[in-house]
Amino acid sequence: MMRLTQQEADPIGGITAAPIVAIGAALALGSAVALTWVHRGEVVSPLAAIVAILLVAAAGAVAAISAAPSRAPFTAERLWVVVTLAVGAAIAEYTSTVGSNRYLYDDFGPVVIGMLILSVAPYCTWVSLALAGVLASIVLSILVVGASSYVAADAPVGALVAVNAAPVVALSAAAAGYAYAIIAETLGWQREANRAALQRDTELRAGIARSVQQSRVSVLGREVLPFLAGIMTAERISVAEADRARELAEELRRALRAGLESTWLDDLATNLRLTRGIETVVDDPSGAADLLGDDQRSALTALISWLAEPARSERVAVSLVNDLDGGRIVISAVPAGRPPAKREIDRFIAVARAVSLGAESASTRENVRVELSYVID
């Protein structure tokens, strides 16, 4: 749980949380402008005040752009860039009022830093959020100590430090608490879902195994057994009969090998063919599908299952190729009556990127193509 973020545990939730970051960035910028205007009488360096507001705008822009689905995943480095810019804005604000900052409550630094940390909570671990709040509070405390001799309030320096750091501590604690709670709840839900999926997968594999077994029995009953009966009653075996025996042996060998070498992706394709009547073909000669992680398998399963709807596609083909460092997955679909819209495909692209899959798509009237790439650890 210490290394997981909501975006990693719940990619769809990470996508829906992106507008919250933009709203938080806008509120932070608005607060900075409003509070600067409120204590404009204390500003001795207008240039430093403008720089402070510009740094808040830059921090908000970095947060909003980094949280966009097209930029997934949101890394820890992006959090530190946002916090560094916000702390830089607080330092610039301190510089703009140095020597005349009589009231600390109207400084925007603590509020802005706390708001930005809270807004990116769905994309960071609770440990990194808490650490960001602690480090920012330390910097703000140093600024308060420097400004304590000018403030109008007759209070101990410790009290001034505590009051000034309170917004950052409270908001970063809320962000860390949210991240911890949402991950715990999501993992609990996933455990229950995985338990149900495992039971369903066992039943599905048993059904597929029966289907394959019936297919083999059908081959035996339709071809092999009558052929053997004829051979046993014949006085001689002709060249044609010997050739036919080799063909039947090869057919049985292919059926047996296909059952042994099949992966979870082959099982998925078989299930889609049986339940939906959509021709779903998998080309995975090296068994590369088994190298994917659980989250990557879930993303790929969701995309293929969504494409293999009778109204969307007439045929779906999946090809996997491995190299030394990674692999490539190409999903091609022949559109049906209601072709997949680019906006709908982009949602799956965002989910794929959130689970460490490179993703690109291209759509025409004749073909829908999605290419995924991954790195083998």
Side-chain angles (χ1 to χ4, degrees), residues 127-326:
V127 174
S128 62
L129 292 166
L131 183 60
V134 169
L135 295 178
S137 299
I138 292 173
V139 175
L140 291 175
S141 299
I142 295 172
L143 297 179
V144 171
V145 172
S148 60
S149 58
Y150 308 109
V151 298
D154 185 15
V157 175
L160 295 175
V161 168
V163 171
N164 193 66
V168 177
V169 173
L171 291 173
S172 60
Y178 168 83
Y180 184 90
I182 198 70
I183 289 299
E185 184 177 347
T186 301
L187 291 180
W189 178 86
Q190 287 179 349
R191 281 192 291 269
E192 292 299 322
N194 289 339
R195 189 177 295 112
L198 184 61
Q199 182 179 356
R200 180 179 178 276
D201 183 65
T202 302
E203 295 172 354
L204 175 62
R205 285 181 175 271
I208 293 173
R210 286 194 299 270
S211 176
V212 173
Q213 182 66 26
Q214 288 170 0
S215 175
R216 294 172 189 161
V217 171
S218 176
V219 171
L220 283 170
R222 187 179 65 252
E223 301 287 346
V224 179
L225 293 179
F227 178 78
L228 289 176
I231 291 295
M232 292 179 67
T233 57
E235 296 181 359
R236 301 180 131 185
I237 299 177
S238 65
V239 175
E241 289 171 332
D243 292 339
R244 181 57 179 159
R246 281 192 293 272
E247 291 175 2
L248 291 174
E250 180 63 23
E251 184 177 350
L252 282 174
R253 186 181 69 82
R254 282 197 302 267
L256 290 170
R257 190 172 68 177
L260 292 173
E261 295 180 353
S262 65
T263 65
W264 64 270
L265 195 55
D266 296 299
D267 293 344
L268 173 63
T270 301
N271 182 45
L272 293 174
R273 285 195 300 269
L274 293 175
T275 59
R276 301 184 185 178
I278 298 295
E279 184 182 1
T280 309
V281 180
V282 174
D283 180 18
D284 184 15
S286 62
D290 288 334
L291 299 176
L292 298 175
D294 292 339
D295 291 339
Q296 294 171 334
R297 293 187 186 190
S298 298
L300 183 57
T301 299
L303 175 58
I304 295 172
S305 300
W306 180 77
L307 283 173
E309 285 285 348
R312 289 194 187 97
S313 305
E314 296 178 356
R315 183 179 187 273
V316 177
V318 185
S319 174
L320 291 88
V321 178
N322 262 4
D323 55 30
L324 294 177
D325 299 323

